[in-house]
Each structure stands twice: as C-alpha cells, then as structure tokens.
Amino acid sequence: MKYGLIGKTLKHSFSKEIHEKIGDYEYELCPMDESELAKFFTEKNFLGVNVTIPYKKAVIPYLDYVSDGAKKIGAVNTVVNVNGVLKGYNTDYFGAKELIDKAGVSVKGKTALILGTGGTSDTLNAVLTGLGAKTVLKVSRTPSAGQISYDLAVKDYNFADIIVNTTPKGMYPYTDETPVDLNAFNNLSGVIDVIYNPLNTRLILAAREKGIPAAGGLYMLASQAVHAYGLFSGGTVTQELTEKVYRSVKCEKQNVVLTGMPSSGKSTIGKLIAKKLGRPFYDTDDLIEERAGEKIPKIFEEKGEKYFRLLETEAIKSVSDKTGAVIATGGGAPTVKENVTELKKNGKIIFIDRSPDKLTPTDGRPLSRDTESLKKRYKERYPVYLATADAVVKNDESVYAAIDKILKEAEK
C-alpha cells in the first residue's frame, strides 16, 4: 500500500473517493485491530496514511516525529513515511477550523460543549480554544478529571452556546441515534457534528429545525484530506481545492428525493434522472407493494390509511441510508415528519409542482382517485410540500425541462 486509511471500522468511510479526487494516487481503506498496529508501523510498507477512530492517540508511540501541533493536541491523523522516518501530523485541526468557519458559527467568547473524549475531541478542543471560546468542556458517559457527565451538561450547562459532537452516535449504520436532545439546551447558536455519513445526522437536522446554524462533517473530511495530500506529496493546499472536492463528493453522495402530488411526474422523471446519472432508482410506493404483497388500493381498503403510512415510513427508512440514489416518494409522504427526517439524512428534497388542472386522477391512488379529491389533496398538501422541500421545480410543460432544472438544483 502506498496511501490509505487505517481504523477499526471503515465501512462508513468516504476517504477513498475523496483522496482519489484530490491527486493522482491510489488510496486504500485498511481496517485493522489495535493488535496489528505495531506490525504495521514496524514494517513501514506505506508512503502515507490517515488515521481514524479509535487510533489517533494509539499510533503516537510508533512515530519518530510528531509535529508541534499534533503534540499539543495529543492526537495524530496523518502519518508520512520519509525514508523510513515516520512523521505524525494533525490535519483534522485545519479541517475542523474550516468547517466551523463555513458553518458560520461564531466561537469567540462562547461556552462550548464537546461530546466525546477521543482524539477528535482533543482536536476540537484546540480549535475552539484557538478561536477564542470562553469555556470548553468535554462531555463523557464516564467522565474523568476535567470532564463532565451528560446529566451535568443538561443540569448545569444548558446555557451552552455551541455543541460539537465527536462521538460515533448517529454514524452509519446507526443513523437513528443521537448523542443529546437539543431541547435540553435553550441558548444554542451553533451545532457541529464531525460525522459525515450520513451527510446530515439527526442532531444536525434537529438543530436546523430550530433555526440553529449547523453542519455535518463532510467539509472537515474534505479539508483535512487536502491538507494530508499536501503532506503526502508536497503539493499546494488551497481553499479552492477543498471546495471543489467537497462539492463533488457531496453531489455524488447526496440522494435526489422527489416529492409531489400523484401524477406530478415523480416516477417518470426519477427514472430518467437515474438513467442519465447512472444511479439506482427507488419508488417508495413500489417498495410498499413489494413488501406487502398487495397493491396500494387494497392496502387502504383492507387495513386503512394509518397502516399504509406505517408501511410507507418503513419503505422510506429502507432507502434513506443509501447514498447517490434517486428516490420518488408517495404523494402523502411529506405529511409525516419522520419520513422527512429520514429522507433529509442523505437527500435533497425537490418538490415537483404540477398545477392541479394538469394532474390526472387515478384508481391507483385511493386519496386522489377523482378530480375533486385530487384538488382537495393538492390544497391540503401544498404548504407541506413547500415547507419540507429544499427546492421547488415546476412541471407544467416539458418533462425534460423539469429534469434540467432538477439536475441544476441537485448540483447546488
């Protein structure tokens, strides 16, 4: 191996795609147990590696040199082999700082809580302190000296301005988890989550719902990777390169989620977009029928709308953790809050707005089987479509014109 990433579990990692966008070199994912570290660093069969959870502190004893910045933080995430001399650095510092800047979170004079006590929490502590935070406290399930418990954080520090999550709570495949309930904190002005898979954790989505500036960890990952590349190759590190890589990976990983009324064109447009982009396509109504072994009208007739909505949420959950997909949803999907939360974890929701006079009733949709009920549903749901969408695209004319607009929105 020339370049790569080492860590305990790497199924969630985007690092290979990111590094192969940055430079002309192969990059491998190398999961390993801690017992394998000594052999790996003794043999030195690599030119450069990144280090992730949970080895950012564990690798330090194997290194011949540790940069002042990494030494001060107490964590290394980049190791370069220079003619047999292993040199350790912390490029996470730059990634975290640039992520906070991009998120528009003001730190100076603020009280910040860092969730977690691993190597990444040490990095964020250094960044927040360097940006002028008034108080920085680490929160742990089993606090030691200088740390506080989650209970104490809620009881005595619910006035905190900033919360930063460095724990794996909410990371794929456990995307339903969240490290804290933001309702317990009434003064937040910023929330950062270093997790990048999913693109938006439940913690980040909860913050945005409250109008709090918030950002997931993808930008940090891209930035630290660009800085690591600079150490690997001696190449120039620029903000422009970070932005380019970040936008490219985000666009590739982000699902295109289509909402709208029955007959608004979601399935037709979704299939054409998926074919054009070479992405998988999922229609949640089709998934419901496959799982139930029955057509939707029969499900409504025999078991009612409430049961159907439960099946719909299950179908949406089955595809929401996927990345780089095109997803068409049922007309009523956005009316259930949990569905929207699931879809936004990795997706950009685009509402296909087709005028009521151009919608066509169908027996296949029990709540919109005639013109009168179709118009009634449109009137009821329109505010919901607008409130839950990240973008709105009209589809009153050419399907291909709508597709072009959707693709442009997806790239933003």
Side-chain angles (χ1 to χ4, degrees), residues 261 335 367 373-385:
M261 286 291 292
T335 64
L367 299 180
S373 61
L374 193 64
K375 289 182 177 180
K376 180 181 178 182
R377 294 289 171 262
Y378 181 88
K379 186 176 180 180
E380 291 173 347
R381 293 173 178 173
Y382 193 76
V384 178
Y385 289 140

Side-chain angles (χ1 to χ4, degrees), residues 48-262:
V49 293
N50 290 123
V51 183
T52 191
I53 297 174
Y55 302 140
K56 294 181 181 182
K57 295 181 180 181
V59 301
I60 293 177
Y62 302 107
L63 308 180
D64 302 299
Y65 164 86
V66 177
S67 71
D68 290 340
K71 195 177 296 181
K72 184 177 180 180
I73 292 168
V76 164
N77 81 306
T78 303
V79 179
V80 181
N81 183 353
V82 182
N83 299 320
V85 177
L86 300 185
K87 297 185 176 184
Y89 304 88
N90 190 307
T91 64
D92 278 340
Y93 179 90
F94 304 102
K97 185 177 182 300
E98 290 172 14
L99 169 62
I100 292 170
D101 289 342
K102 185 175 180 64
V105 175
S106 175
V107 173
K108 190 172 183 179
K110 303 292 180 66
T111 295
L113 300 180
I114 300 175
L115 310 183
T117 58
T120 305
S121 74
D122 292 335
T123 301
L124 268 298
N125 182 47
V127 171
L128 292 168
T129 301
L131 289 173
K134 179 182 178 181
T135 304
V136 181
L137 292 168
K138 290 186 181 181
V139 185
S140 172
R141 289 174 297 176
T142 54
S144 57
Q147 302 169 2
I148 63 172
S149 68
Y150 281 83
D151 288 341
L152 192 61
V154 170
K155 180 183 176 183
D156 292 347
Y157 293 93
N158 55 16
F159 60 86
D161 303 286
I162 298 166
I163 286 180
V164 179
N165 179 43
T166 68
T167 77
K169 279 277 188 177
M171 183 170 71
Y172 178 83
Y174 306 107
T175 58
D176 287 339
E177 297 180 353
T178 187
V180 291
D181 182 356
L182 293 185
N183 290 320
F185 301 89
N186 52 27
N187 194 46
L188 290 173
S189 59
V191 175
I192 299 293
D193 197 331
V194 302
I195 291 172
Y196 55 85
N197 185 1
L199 297 174
N200 302 299
T201 60
R202 284 182 175 264
L203 183 70
I204 292 302
L205 292 173
R208 289 177 181 162
E209 188 175 352
K210 292 176 176 292
I212 301 168
L218 184 61
Y219 196 84
M220 176 178 170
L221 181 70
S223 174
Q224 68 80 24
V226 169
H227 283 274
Y229 161 74
L231 293 169
F232 291 163
S233 67
T236 302
V237 174
T238 66
Q239 192 77 26
E240 290 75 18
L241 179 57
T242 297
E243 284 286 343
K244 178 182 176 182
V245 171
Y246 164 73
R247 290 182 177 279
S248 177
V249 174
K250 181 183 177 184
C251 187
E252 288 180 5
K253 295 295 183 181
Q254 187 169 255
N255 296 330
V256 178
V257 180
L258 306 178
T259 62
M261 286 291 292

Side-chain angles (χ1 to χ4, degrees), residues 311-329:
L311 294 181
E312 183 173 56
T313 297
E314 289 177 5
I316 286 172
K317 283 188 174 185
S318 74
V319 295
S320 64
D321 282 344
K322 297 181 184 299
T323 57
V326 179
I327 302 170
T329 62

